[in-house]
Amino acid sequence: MSADAATELRIVGFLCNWCSYGGADTAGVGRFQQPTDLRIIRVPCSGRIDPLFVVKSLVNGADGVLVSGCHPRDCHYSEGNFYARRRLEALKSFLPILGIDERRFEYTWVSASEGQKWKTVVEKFTERIHELGPARKINAEMLAEAKAMFATV
Amino acid sequence: MQYLDELKSKIKEKLPDLDVVIGWEQGFDPLRATPLFMRTEEDVDKLTWGPLCVHNLATYLTGLKGKKVGVVVKGCDSRSIIELLQEKLINREDITVFGLPCEGVISMKKVARAVGTLDYIEKVDVTTKGITVSAEGKDYDLPLTEVGADKCGRCQYHNALLSDVFIGDTIDDSAEDDYSDVTEFEAKPREERLNYWLAQMDRCLRCYACRNACPLCVCRDHCVAQSRDPHWMSQDDTVQSKWFFQMIHAMHLAGRCTECGECERSCPVGIPILLLRRKMNKQINELFDYKAGTKIDAKPPLMAFKVEEDNINERGW
Amino acid sequence: MAAKFLPTNQLASWLAELSGQYRTLVPRREGDAVVFRPFEEAFAPELGVRPTMSTKASVFPKCEPLMTFKYEKDEEDPGKVMVDVTERRDDAPAVVVGGRPCDVAGFFTFDRVYNTEKIKDLNYLARRENTFFVSLACEQPATTCFCNWVGGGPADTKGADVLMVPVSGGWLMEPVTDKGGELVASLEDGKAKEAEAQAVKDKANAAIGDAVDVSAAQDKLLALFDDAAFWEAQSSKCISCGTCTYLCPTCYCFNITDEKFGMEGVRMRTWDNCMSALFTMEASGHNPRPTKAHRLKNRVGHKFSYYPSLHDGNIACVGCGRCIKSCPVSVDIRAIVQNAIAAPAPEQEG
């Protein structure tokens, strides 16, 4: 089911080392077919994820960003994901004012044993990003359009 | 100018025990006040107080750590001090707060819009309703309801929430803040919101006045925006890097911003960045029922958690 | 050269005509600010109020690529990397309309540094030689104006190619250079408006009043160099942002960084400012200007003392007043210079 190269989008995944990265590995070992749009960056814990990782990816042209960590109460470091949850939730609700589509960002919890769940998460998120289509790149042309829109401001 | 004499005498009383007291004096024209650092009694005589005292003087406190500092505050400014104390960025015993009741301050931008330019201000009279400005031989009667700062129209904290010396009578009325500016902006189509920020941020100079005027931007000379390692931001003059800095600012102030509006006031090219801070505050309030700078012993929401969050829906994937 | 008349209703068509040949920058209102942008018919130029920004960026942009580079690995020898470098220089002809006489005078401060016998900044010169100025005379000084203190005036023509003087129904366009004559060649004769324009200029010159003599600042600021208490008092309210320097028509400092993405990158020059801690941060971690007092001392001292002492007494300030009026806390450079002159002379050691 791998997306064909021409329509592949750029999705950045920040995965915690202990659960979700393991979950993705489990999905791989189980030879589950998954879309190939996701580029994974492994981090020690979802608590390591500065919300700015997400924003920077989105501003610089990522079509989607997916964060995945251990389930609440299952954090390898006891409470990293609790802090992450607050930050990521605040970020998610902040995106609309920027005019960035909040659907391009999602966070979730997948444990190391949940290979099947990982496959579902990747499929669903990739499908969503494909429905949204590629994010518009911020460039000179887009800026000129923006300026024209506010010609009278 | 109400309470000014009393304020002066209280400051003179405390001055011998303090290294410096920060207030306001008249600046280069009758409209512009400027922060005043009082070290002697003669300095205290220059002090002014009124709707032209726009600056949040709490901004200077972290830079004066270790000194005995007195500071004159309006209601909104006192919230910044509370937030700084709560984060243990300043020591309570080093700070003497002279609190005042405030009915609102002037927005220089609104005066500029009403008068056309602030280049020729000759005279300013503070009236009971607002101010009268004389420029180029013309008088402009400008009530606070027209030229008051936006934050004052929705003020819930007229009186300093924290003070060692409180001067004057407390003001009882308190407005509602329904964040209608945020919801109105968010009701616009997404493309328009995005374009709005691109069009605005394009003229950003990267002078970082928004950052340096912020009382809670405490990293000062060690800001990630200028760090080369880690390399968060390119030096390139692109709209995305300038916009991205505003996101950094908003994220770093999440649950800490007291909405004093200094960031927006200090922007030399008038970018309306307070809207971003307000959006974050609105969300923090909705998610964690928290308002920064109102309780001295509270814990900032992003430095805490609950195992079962009240308002976060775990997403079932 | 004969002066010409530009009626208000022909401004747009004249600017459109210029735009055909030159990158034409005009002041444009954006929100509460007035900034210089390439002329577009959809945006009426704002010539009524003083621009928030100076014309500096027309010759010395906020950010300019000096070169682009690309690394390529040798296929035969993976240890070997080749780098391909392309120099970048912008010499497209440009006209800037609506800067004030002080703005235009600012470039002389640059010239003394970037165009010397020993040092020629080729990127700067490429634009300097190809940028022409139609400056707009001021009718009335603002409360922050002090161009006359530093050798300027509200209708000064130094550095301008054309001086634009507001008169009834439009502007009198007085060519100053041959190039200026070319720029206004298509306009109608302005003889009839000359007397009126002269009256406007005379009135402005009278309104700005007497200049304060700041020549004593050169020695005095140097004498106060080690007076930490003086500089701490002067800089107490400074918040150390870069507004003053970035709006200044004469601040010419820059930073150079390589911004690399994968195997490709750009070496770019960007504005830098002495209010920033990183400006003087050394590789060892030592910073010779660790506090805002050191930094503000440098800004004032450089403009009114160190620069004049290197460049025949020319002050590196044109008195536009932007650093005063746009400063978030109203730091007034005039007051600092006057305070320095009035300060008691520090005792000489040894």
Side-chain angles (χ1 to χ4, degrees):
Chain A
M1 201 190 94
S2 65
D4 89 65
T7 59
E8 192 171 281
L9 297 178
R10 271 183 296 181
I11 304 175
V12 184
F14 294 98
L15 272 56
C16 110
N17 174 52
W18 303 99
C19 294
S20 295
Y21 198 82
D25 200 30
T26 307
V29 169
R31 300 197 167 256
F32 300 141
Q33 288 280 323
Q34 298 168 47
T36 54
D37 307 46
L38 188 73
R39 305 283 182 277
I40 292 174
I41 297 170
R42 180 166 61 157
V43 293
C45 173
S46 53
R48 169 66 181 89
I49 297 165
D50 189 324
L52 294 170
F53 292 175
V54 178
V55 187
K56 184 158 180 169
S57 309
L58 290 172
V59 169
N60 289 296
D63 301 305
V65 179
L66 178 67
V67 167
S68 188
C70 303
H71 287 276
R73 296 174 201 266
D74 271 354
C75 179
H76 184 81
Y77 306 100
S78 306
E79 31 190 58
N81 55 1
F82 289 133
Y83 289 105
R85 183 169 58 186
R86 284 199 160 193
R87 290 177 204 147
L88 295 169
E89 186 66 26
L91 170 68
K92 194 170 169 59
S93 63
F94 177 68
L95 291 177
I97 199 141
L98 297 169
I100 294 176
D101 196 332
E102 65 276 18
R103 291 170 295 180
R104 294 191 184 275
F105 164 61
E106 195 56 85
Y107 72 98
T108 186
W109 320 120
V110 174
S111 79
S113 62
E114 294 175 317
Q116 186 61 45
K117 185 177 177 193
W118 176 252
K119 171 184 154 76
T120 317
V121 164
V122 176
E123 276 178 357
K124 275 174 80 176
F125 190 66
T126 309
E127 199 182 309
R128 183 204 284 182
I129 298 302
H130 275 268
E131 273 167 27
L132 294 172
R136 282 200 67 186
K137 305 287 173 277
I138 300 171
N139 53 25
E141 182 198 344
M142 196 171 175
L143 185 59
E145 264 176 54
K147 297 279 234 183
M149 190 169 200
F150 293 96
T152 52
V153 170
Chain B
M1 293 289 159
Q2 222 181 341
Y3 316 133
L4 183 61
D5 291 334
E6 196 185 341
L7 177 61
K8 281 183 185 170
S9 66
K10 294 279 187 200
I11 292 176
K12 283 181 184 170
E13 217 171 275
K14 297 263 183 189
L15 197 57
D17 301 327
L18 300 170
D19 292 314
V20 64
V21 179
I22 317 171
W24 302 268
E25 67 177 317
Q26 189 191 309
F28 62 84
D29 76 7
L31 184 65
R32 259 61 73 91
T34 178
L36 168 69
F37 285 67
M38 295 169 271
R39 295 178 178 91
T40 62
E41 291 217 351
E42 295 82 73
D43 292 339
V44 181
D45 293 326
K46 295 184 208 156
L47 185 73
T48 62
W49 162 244
L52 302 177
C53 299
V54 294
H55 319 79
N56 180 354
L57 304 174
T59 298
Y60 295 107
L61 294 178
T62 45
L64 292 167
K65 220 173 158 186
K67 294 208 165 101
K68 296 280 179 198
V69 182
V71 59
V72 186
V73 297
K74 310 183 282 286
C76 50
D77 307 339
S78 71
R79 288 179 65 190
S80 309
I81 298 185
I82 292 178
E83 189 63 29
L84 288 169
L85 288 169
Q86 189 191 315
E87 295 177 25
K88 303 192 170 47
L89 294 163
I90 50 175
N91 297 321
R92 183 68 187 91
E93 59 272 21
D94 290 341
I95 307 288
T96 304
V97 181
F98 298 88
L100 287 156
C102 168
E103 290 183 67
V105 293
I106 298 293
S107 156
M108 296 302 157
K109 285 190 193 105
K110 289 185 188 173
V111 177
R113 283 176 219 153
V115 177
T117 168
L118 299 182
D119 275 352
Y120 313 115
I121 304 293
E122 287 146 13
K123 194 158 132 293
V124 176
D125 287 318
V126 176
T127 62
T128 47
K129 276 199 186 145
I131 56 170
T132 304
V133 173
S134 312
E136 294 183 276
K138 261 192 245 165
D139 287 347
Y140 301 82
D141 271 323
L142 306 169
L144 259 179
T145 47
E146 255 174 54
V147 297
D150 287 337
K151 65 171 177 178
C152 304
R154 50 179 181 247
C155 180
Q156 297 162 48
Y157 308 97
H158 289 281
N159 311 299
L161 292 179
L162 167 88
S163 52
D164 298 292
V165 182
F166 189 86
I167 295 117
D169 304 319
T170 55
I171 298 169
D172 289 333
D173 59 314
S174 164
E176 287 279 316
D177 186 0
D178 55 5
Y179 286 96
S180 53
D181 51 337
V182 175
T183 38
E184 266 166 42
F185 184 80
E186 286 189 319
K188 294 177 183 174
R190 183 177 304 111
E191 196 69 11
E192 192 179 326
R193 279 176 266 153
L194 176 63
N195 282 341
Y196 176 82
W197 290 115
L198 297 182
Q200 294 282 345
M201 290 313 304
D202 183 45
R203 67 175 179 275
C204 166
L205 299 173
R206 287 189 156 191
C207 68
Y208 295 122
C210 50
R211 175 191 73 189
N212 288 28
C214 175
L216 290 155
C217 265
V218 291
C219 302
R220 299 289 153 178
D221 294 346
H222 308 276
C223 179
V224 293
Q226 282 161 313
S227 152
R228 298 293 293 176
D229 184 21
H231 195 180
W232 272 103
M233 280 176 61
S234 138
Q235 290 295 304
D236 202 353
D237 184 40
T238 58
V239 71
Q240 46 285 46
S241 32
K242 299 188 283 199
W243 192 31
F244 181 58
F245 175 71
Q246 294 306 324
M247 300 174 201
I248 296 181
H249 201 178
M251 292 309 304
H252 285 180
L253 284 164
R256 307 174 62 235
C257 170
T258 55
E259 288 183 36
C260 67
E262 286 289 271
C263 49
E264 182 167 316
R265 185 189 66 77
S266 59
C267 178
V269 289
I271 304 175
I273 40 184
L274 183 60
L275 186 64
L276 295 175
R277 322 296 188 256
R278 277 180 51 76
K279 164 67 176 171
M280 186 57 94
N281 277 1
K282 175 172 178 279
Q283 296 314 129
I284 294 289
N285 196 15
E286 280 169 19
L287 287 168
F288 310 116
D289 188 24
Y290 181 87
K291 269 201 170 92
T294 52
K295 289 194 201 84
I296 212 159
D297 49 358
K299 198 161 189 193
L302 292 190
M303 294 170 83
F305 63 85
K306 280 184 179 173
V307 174
E308 297 295 332
E309 294 286 358
D310 302 325
N311 301 313
I312 297 180
N313 261 330
E314 296 296 335
R315 289 183 168 72
W317 276 72
Chain C
M1 273 167 289
K4 302 283 188 148
F5 178 60
L6 172 61
T8 312
N9 61 10
Q10 283 175 29
L11 174 68
S13 58
W14 177 65
L15 291 170
E17 181 196 318
L18 285 182
S19 300
Q21 255 185 298
Y22 304 93
R23 180 177 60 200
T24 304
L25 298 167
V26 294
R28 181 194 291 178
R29 188 171 275 282
E30 279 190 16
D32 288 307
V34 178
V35 294
F36 284 88
R37 297 284 188 206
F39 172 71
E40 287 173 66
E41 307 224 8
F43 300 87
E46 171 62 86
L47 295 173
V49 299
R50 286 181 177 77
T52 316
M53 296 291 295
S54 74
T55 55
K56 173 161 80 175
S58 62
V59 176
F60 192 68
K62 258 186 281 182
C63 170
E64 76 172 306
L66 298 175
M67 64 179 205
T68 49
F69 55 88
K70 195 172 176 180
Y71 290 97
E72 257 173 278
K73 280 190 181 150
D74 192 329
E75 279 175 26
E76 305 292 308
D77 178 4
K80 216 164 128 190
V81 182
M82 327 266 268
V83 58
D84 181 35
V85 173
T86 316
E87 262 192 88
R88 297 274 299 268
R89 198 158 298 150
D90 172 15
D91 54 8
V95 174
V96 186
V97 179
R100 301 296 173 132
C102 52
D103 289 339
V104 177
F107 292 111
F108 291 102
T109 303
F110 279 72
D111 292 342
R112 288 180 208 112
V113 181
Y114 292 154
N115 186 16
T116 67
E117 288 288 301
K118 280 188 195 154
I119 299 158
K120 302 250 181 253
D121 185 318
L122 299 178
N123 288 62
Y124 170 78
L125 284 175
R127 266 186 307 271
R128 178 72 169 121
E129 283 159 11
N130 291 295
T131 307
F132 309 102
F133 294 94
V134 179
S135 63
L136 176 62
C138 296
E139 291 175 86
Q140 197 190 343
T143 46
T144 45
C145 286
F146 61 108
C147 56
N148 57 335
W149 296 23
V150 288
D156 226 37
T157 54
K158 199 179 157 209
D161 294 281
V162 178
L163 182 71
M164 213 171 162
V165 185
V167 291
S168 53
W171 297 272
L172 185 74
M173 312 294 276
E174 299 176 3
V176 180
T177 62
D178 293 343
K179 187 71 195 181
E182 240 175 77
L183 296 175
V184 296
S186 66
L187 300 175
E188 61 191 73
D189 186 71
K191 192 122 193 91
K193 298 281 185 184
E194 274 176 6
E196 192 188 342
Q198 191 55 47
V200 169
K201 288 195 270 183
D202 291 343
K203 197 176 151 217
N205 279 323
I208 197 152
D210 292 334
V212 172
D213 181 12
V214 290
S215 55
Q218 189 175 331
D219 292 334
K220 199 57 190 291
L221 285 166
L222 216 51
L224 288 168
F225 191 87
D226 290 321
D227 191 340
F230 175 81
W231 289 107
E232 259 162 48
Q234 299 303 315
S235 67
S236 294
K237 64 185 172 189
C238 172
I239 57 170
S240 240
C241 71
T243 304
C244 48
T245 40
Y246 288 172
L247 297 183
C248 177
T250 65
C251 274
Y252 54 77
C253 288
F254 61 81
N255 189 13
I256 292 183
T257 50
D258 284 358
E259 302 292 345
K260 196 169 153 230
F261 308 96
M263 299 293 273
E264 290 177 36
V266 189
R267 173 160 298 175
M268 54 180 73
R269 159 152 81 181
T270 46
W271 288 353
D272 201 354
N273 80 80
C274 54
M275 298 294 111
S276 153
L278 288 179
F279 186 81
T280 45
M281 179 66 88
E282 293 169 9
S284 65
H286 171 68
N287 194 341
R289 292 185 204 146
T291 69
K292 63 181 180 183
H294 291 87
R295 297 174 210 152
L296 193 64
K297 172 175 77 176
N298 178 70
R299 182 162 201 275
V300 180
H302 181 252
K303 290 194 177 304
F304 287 87
S305 176
Y306 327 147
Y307 185 99
S309 70
L310 290 172
H311 300 284
D312 307 323
N314 286 292
I315 292 172
C317 169
V318 289
C320 72
R322 285 190 181 85
C323 58
I324 307 167
K325 82 171 120 184
S326 287
C327 174
V329 291
S330 304
V331 171
D332 189 341
I333 195 167
R334 294 170 300 189
I336 299 178
V337 170
Q338 285 177 298
N339 289 346
I341 293 173
E347 282 171 41
Q348 296 293 315
E349 276 177 47

